[in-house]
């Protein structure tokens, strides 16, 4: 079982994140995108469902949502929200855990594909998603284009946030494709909380190959949920792979 980086105290204030992806406007956009991939009254499986940030707005659109989640603390926050007790959740590792039935769409968002830190585990994630999909069903991944492309070859660190409350920076190992996101959060009376989370970054073409190994082909790729075209300057992508109908 992988290490759980999203237990207390991370789960306690996870929904306080100021990232645009936590806003009501964005969640309407993201849940709308996913609902279009599910047939009317269809079924969706969220890998790493967390506190239900995406699952609850998607369920409100009439999609039957199920989840897989490693952290009991995150699921506890989901259960506290209106409608959260109605969403079935399997506790376990999304690279291998089973959810009941087959689904029209499976999705893994907010850079979470990188939380599995080996290529084998990422390949297993695609295989597990495909195993849960009906023929013609879709697997959606939202993640960043590796930030290592935006630093000089001899550099190892890239600051992505710097304010009086928080400093965040990524650390890269170009040889192994390992990376770490480091967070320094400044509290009252000079207190500092440090949190470091390991990731494995992967290029879009590598993810396409993982999908092909799992019997899926790229259907569409966008720079964002509003279907902004993906280009060589995009810093993120929303990719949709379709399971073979054979």
């Amino acid at each position: 079982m992988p290490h759980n980086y999203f237990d207390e105290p991370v789960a306690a204030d996870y929904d306080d994140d100021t990232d645009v992806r936590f806003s009501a406007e964005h969640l309407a956009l993201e849940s709308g995108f996913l609902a279009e991939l599910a047939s009317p009254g269809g079924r969706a499986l969220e890998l790493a469902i967390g506190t239900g940030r995406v699952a609850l707005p998607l369920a409100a659109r009439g999609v039957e949502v199920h989840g897989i989640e490693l952290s009991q603390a995150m699921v506890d926050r989901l259960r506290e929200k209106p409608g959260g007790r109605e969403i079935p959740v399997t506790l376990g590792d999304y690279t291998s855990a089973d959810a009941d039935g087959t689904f029209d769409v499976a999705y893994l968002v907010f850079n979470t594909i990188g939380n599995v830190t080996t290529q084998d585990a990422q390949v297993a994630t695609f295989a597990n998603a495909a195993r849960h999909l009906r023929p013609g069903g879709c697997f959606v991944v939202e993640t960043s284009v590796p930030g290592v492309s935006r630093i000089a070859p001899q550099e190892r660190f890239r600051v992505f946030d710097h304010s009086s409350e928080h400093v965040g920076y990524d650390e890269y190992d170009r040889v192994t494709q390992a990376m770490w996101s480091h967070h320094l959060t400044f509290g009252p009376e000079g207190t500092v909380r440090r949190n470091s989370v390991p990731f494995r970054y992967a290029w879009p073409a590598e993810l396409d190959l993982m999908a092909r190994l799992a019997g899926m082909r790229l259907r569409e790729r966008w720079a964002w949920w509003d279907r902004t075209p993906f280009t060589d300057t995009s810093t993120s992508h929303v990719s949709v792979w379709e399971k073979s109908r054979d």
Side-chain angles (χ1 to χ4, degrees), residues 125-141:
T125 299
F126 275 77
N128 198 34
R131 186 167 59 83
H132 282 90
L133 290 173
R134 63 166 177 79
C138 292
F139 182 38
V140 182
V141 170

Side-chain angles (χ1 to χ4, degrees), residues 6 21-22 40 43-45 55 57 60 67-68 88-89 107 114-115 120 153 165 167-168 174-175 194 203 215 230 232:
F6 293 88
R21 283 168 286 198
F22 287 76
R43 306 180 81 230
L45 174 64
I68 296 174
V89 178
Y107 61 98
N115 286 130
D120 284 348
E165 294 83 26
V167 173
R174 297 173 188 269
V175 174
R194 175 171 179 167
W203 301 96
F230 180 77
D232 61 356

Side-chain angles (χ1 to χ4, degrees), residues 140-157:
V140 182
V141 170
E142 174 217 343
T143 192
S144 298
V145 175
V148 69
S149 63
R150 297 187 288 280
I151 60 176
Q154 69 274 18
E155 294 179 351
R156 186 178 178 94
F157 301 96

Side-chain angles (χ1 to χ4, degrees), residues 14 20 26 31 82 85-86 105 126 143 163-164 209 213 225 235:
Y14 181 80
V20 67
H26 174 81
S31 63
R85 293 190 177 277
E86 282 69 60
V105 60
F126 275 77
T143 192
S163 70
S164 59
L209 183 56
L213 291 171
W225 295 97
T235 59

